[in-house]
Amino acid sequence: MRAVIQRVKAAKVTVLDELVSSIGPGLCVLVGIKASDTAKDVEYLVRKILALRLFEEEGKRWQKSVKDLNLELLCVSQFTLYHRLKGNKPDFLAAMKGEEAQELYNQFLDRLGQSYDSTKIKDGKFGAYMQVHIENDGPVTINLESPEQKDTDREVDK
Amino acid sequence: MRAVIQRVKAAKVTVLDELVSSIGPGLCVLVGIKASDTAKDVEYLVRKILALRLFEEEGKRWQKSVKDLNLELLCVSQFTLYHRLKGNKPDFLAAMKGEEAQELYNQFLDRLGQSYDSTKIKDGKFGAYMQVHIENDGPVTINLESPEQKDTDREVDK
């Protein structure tokens, strides 16, 4: 499971110019789910995203997390993070498909809410054509990926 | 060398609310440079970024590149793409430092211009505290990394 985490002053999602959701200072998280991801991958990313020290404290960088400072998260599902290139054309066969992906993505949102504060967790519109407006603050962008699981672990989780 | 490539309707960079540069439709490219990167890494990313088929044509997805459609690129240097975690605190020792990084980053911008059209290549303000405003269109986000070079190759390039 992958996340492109951008520290933001503000972020919002619109669909056909209509506001879906918005946040102030915090993190915009683009989330990619691969076909073999499980609850274990969700747990890893939830824990890391909430604990990552990407915010300043008294002018000193990398001190506080989004949770420490009670900030917000805007999450958006992003299957293109599991692209492969055939020449210069991307394909996304490695990404988990439709309903199964939506289910695990919703589980990810739920676990963020349970581990922090569900009122601080905003979402886009799964599968829709969206505009994600990101005011990247710094800029600060971090790529995270859940560690590869041995097949035996994976069977137990399904 | 790494790039987080976001397809955009528009993007701009401000420093203390002053506009540094802006683009319309095209690509916002956050660029990370590691300590051992060379001109070879620059060439790989320049070639891929300009050729990646991330744009539609007549409603069919993944057909055209930024160059095919004569669109713009906003590039911003982003050392945090080479983070390592000590617990939950990131460190960036793997990233190439200051002047050396700025030189290779400028080489990257030059090569983009030479391979495409320098008037279409915009930049932030290297090393400054910036706000990067990104209207991610889709969203579409692709992570690219130049292939690992064998040490022998690397010596020849320096």
Side-chain angles (χ1 to χ4, degrees), chain B residues 4-156:
Chain B
V4 174
I5 300 164
Q6 296 180 81
R7 186 179 72 180
V8 297
K9 287 271 190 202
K12 65 180 180 182
V13 172
T14 57
V15 172
L16 301 173
D17 293 331
E18 263 193 55
L19 185 66
V20 172
S21 59
S22 66
I23 63 168
L27 299 178
C28 178
V29 184
L30 302 171
V31 181
I33 301 174
K34 66 178 180 299
S36 58
D37 279 334
T38 68
K40 200 170 265 185
D41 301 280
V42 165
E43 287 309 310
Y44 176 86
L45 279 191
V46 165
R47 195 164 39 81
K48 278 294 174 190
I49 290 166
L50 291 177
L52 258 177
R53 292 164 57 177
L54 298 184
F55 297 89
E56 286 189 12
E57 185 188 46
E58 291 154 13
K60 223 175 144 212
R61 299 202 295 184
W62 324 118
Q63 298 303 311
K64 293 291 180 188
S65 72
V66 66
K67 194 173 170 182
D68 291 334
L69 300 181
N70 215 16
L71 301 177
E72 297 177 286
L73 296 97
L74 174 61
C75 302
V76 182
S77 169
Q78 179 71 109
F79 68 90
T80 64
L81 290 181
Y82 277 100
H83 84 279
R84 295 178 309 192
L85 286 180
K86 284 193 184 147
N88 294 311
K89 184 172 185 181
D91 87 41
F92 308 99
L93 301 175
M96 188 181 277
K97 296 291 166 291
E99 258 170 53
E100 199 190 357
Q102 186 162 12
E103 216 178 286
L104 199 63
Y105 176 68
N106 287 339
Q107 199 180 322
F108 167 77
L109 297 176
D110 292 344
R111 288 296 301 132
L112 276 176
Q114 290 152 15
S115 313
Y116 175 28
D117 171 352
S118 54
T119 67
K120 304 280 186 183
I121 315 296
K122 302 287 172 59
D123 179 24
K125 203 171 167 195
F126 188 90
Y129 172 57
M130 299 173 259
Q131 303 300 313
V132 184
H133 309 253
I134 301 161
E135 190 178 333
N136 190 320
D137 176 29
V140 168
T141 309
I142 299 277
N143 288 334
L144 281 187
E145 179 157 19
S146 55
E148 208 42 58
Q149 283 184 58
K150 280 183 247 87
D151 286 344
T152 43
D153 298 351
R154 215 171 283 290
E155 280 322 307
V156 166

Side-chain angles (χ1 to χ4, degrees), chain A residues 87-128:
Chain A
N88 294 311
K89 184 172 184 182
D91 88 42
F92 307 99
L93 301 175
M96 187 181 278
K97 296 291 166 292
E99 260 169 55
E100 197 189 358
Q102 187 163 14
E103 217 177 286
L104 200 63
Y105 176 68
N106 287 337
Q107 199 179 323
F108 168 76
L109 296 175
D110 292 345
R111 287 296 299 133
L112 275 177
Q114 291 152 16
S115 314
Y116 175 28
D117 171 351
S118 54
T119 67
K120 303 278 184 184
I121 315 297
K122 302 287 172 59
D123 178 23
K125 202 172 168 193
F126 188 92

